[in-house]
Amino acid sequence: MLQNRASSATRVSSKPHLYLQADGKQQKSGNSFWGRRSHVSAFSGLLSLSFVIATSLFVLFLCVCLEHFDGSLRQGLYELLAHSSPTTLLRRYVPEISYGHVVAYTTWIVFQALLYSLLPGKTVCGPPTPGGNTLPYRMNGLLSWGITVGAVFLAACIGGAEVVASLAQNWAAVLAAANVYGLAVPALAVAKGHIWPTFKNDRRFSGSIFHDYMVGVELNPRLGQHWDLKMFQVGRLGMNSWVVIDLSFMAQQYLRYGSISNSIIIVIILHALYVIDFFINEDWQVPLIPRADRTEF
């Protein structure tokens, strides 16, 4: 039965689900009651746009403080308020993204996408979505993590610590490239929800393109049968990046000081334990994938 359910993402039932109010009375059927508001005002849409812009600029500000002011937020604010305008600060300190940075980060995304797509693993079905669709997930996260970490050690054996430390040495530009990617994916997800939805009954439109960008349109946008965009962003790019970043900064510390501190070793071990535990129990995570939160900014 499980194999039949996993063979394709199918409707659980042709009948719409029923929802109960707190007093036990039945509400109207369908998926109109899941998720956030279905209609927002123009003012709320502008607030959503402001939130997206503010958080993006805040990430850039933190990056500038870490790179140029030894992590001091106070000194960064002083520079912003006393000596320059926000636009001047950004032009002076925001890292430039070169062609090499774009190629490197794109290669990382493609590498993780290939691992997510091609590695074997058991198939686990998630709970029904509000629209009544049951989605299969391939559990190959632990294997992808092992190959990713193995690739880092292989790079260290071939090119030395300098190759591994290259991420830490260019972290500001790579972080900027990652944020550009993070801004582009929700836009593509919104466009996909309008033009090519995975399941039409698992969408929610707010009436504001800015609000849709912030909170998402589709619940589980997919490319093909198993390629789940939400799972890929969280369970592959995010999780597999964690220890890789740690190892890169450990290599950078070794190159700079000739030794590795106990604190960074402890951090790497704890991060590794967290990620390994996540992947070992990955099939437990599937029911916990938000069923009311769409793929969003």
Side-chain angles (χ1 to χ4, degrees), residues 32-289:
S32 59
F33 297 98
W34 70 270
R36 299 184 177 91
R37 293 175 296 172
S38 58
H39 298 285
V40 300
S41 64
F43 178 72
S44 295
L46 291 177
L47 286 179
S48 300
L49 177 62
S50 300
F51 176 81
V52 171
I53 295 174
T55 52
S56 301
L57 292 177
F58 183 65
V59 169
L60 288 176
F61 176 72
L62 292 179
C63 178
V64 169
C65 291
L66 289 170
E67 182 73 5
H68 299 282
F69 302 111
D70 295 326
S72 173
L73 296 179
R74 183 176 61 181
Q75 189 173 351
L77 285 172
Y78 180 77
E79 176 72 15
L80 174 64
L81 299 176
H83 296 287
S84 63
S85 64
T87 55
T88 303
L89 184 74
L90 292 177
R91 286 199 305 266
R92 182 182 302 173
Y93 294 113
V94 168
E96 295 183 1
I97 304 176
S98 67
Y99 176 76
H101 297 134
V102 174
V103 170
Y105 192 72
T106 302
T107 302
W108 165 252
I109 295 174
V110 172
F111 176 58
Q112 290 302 315
L114 289 174
L115 294 180
Y116 181 53
S117 303
L118 301 178
L119 291 179
K122 68 177 180 179
T123 299
V124 175
C125 289
T129 67
N133 302 293
T134 301
L135 307 179
Y137 296 85
R138 184 180 293 124
M139 302 291 99
N140 57 13
L142 186 61
L143 183 57
S144 73
W145 183 84
I147 293 176
T148 299
V149 175
V152 174
F153 282 101
L154 180 62
C157 293
I158 296 176
E162 293 82 0
V163 175
V164 180
S166 60
L167 171 60
Q169 294 167 357
N170 297 275
W171 77 270
V174 174
L175 179 63
N179 278 274
V180 172
Y181 170 79
L183 290 170
V185 168
L188 295 175
V190 170
K192 179 185 178 302
H194 281 270
I195 301 171
W196 183 36
T198 304
F199 298 107
K200 291 184 178 180
N201 54 351
D202 276 328
R203 296 182 299 173
R204 193 71 177 271
F205 300 101
S206 68
S208 168
I209 189 65
F210 302 130
H211 191 75
D212 286 345
Y213 178 86
M214 188 182 75
V215 304
V217 170
E218 284 192 272
L219 187 61
N220 293 96
R222 291 196 158 206
L223 303 175
Q225 181 179 345
H226 290 91
W227 220 95
D228 189 273
L229 183 60
K230 188 187 299 184
M231 173 66 85
F232 175 70
Q233 300 299 326
V234 176
R236 295 300 181 271
L237 276 185
M239 287 295 176
N240 285 340
S241 296
W242 210 346
V243 177
V244 171
I245 294 172
D246 290 343
L247 293 174
S248 180
F249 276 91
M250 183 181 70
Q252 174 70 354
Q253 186 183 74
Y254 176 78
L255 291 175
R256 180 175 296 180
Y257 302 107
S259 61
I260 301 173
S261 65
N262 293 332
S263 58
I264 198 170
I265 293 176
I266 293 174
V267 167
I268 291 175
I269 292 174
L270 293 177
H271 283 177
L273 288 175
Y274 181 94
V275 175
I276 291 173
D277 178 74
F278 174 88
F279 284 132
I280 289 177
N281 300 295
E282 190 175 16
D283 55 341
W284 293 12
Q285 306 295 330
V286 169
L288 301 179
I289 295 176

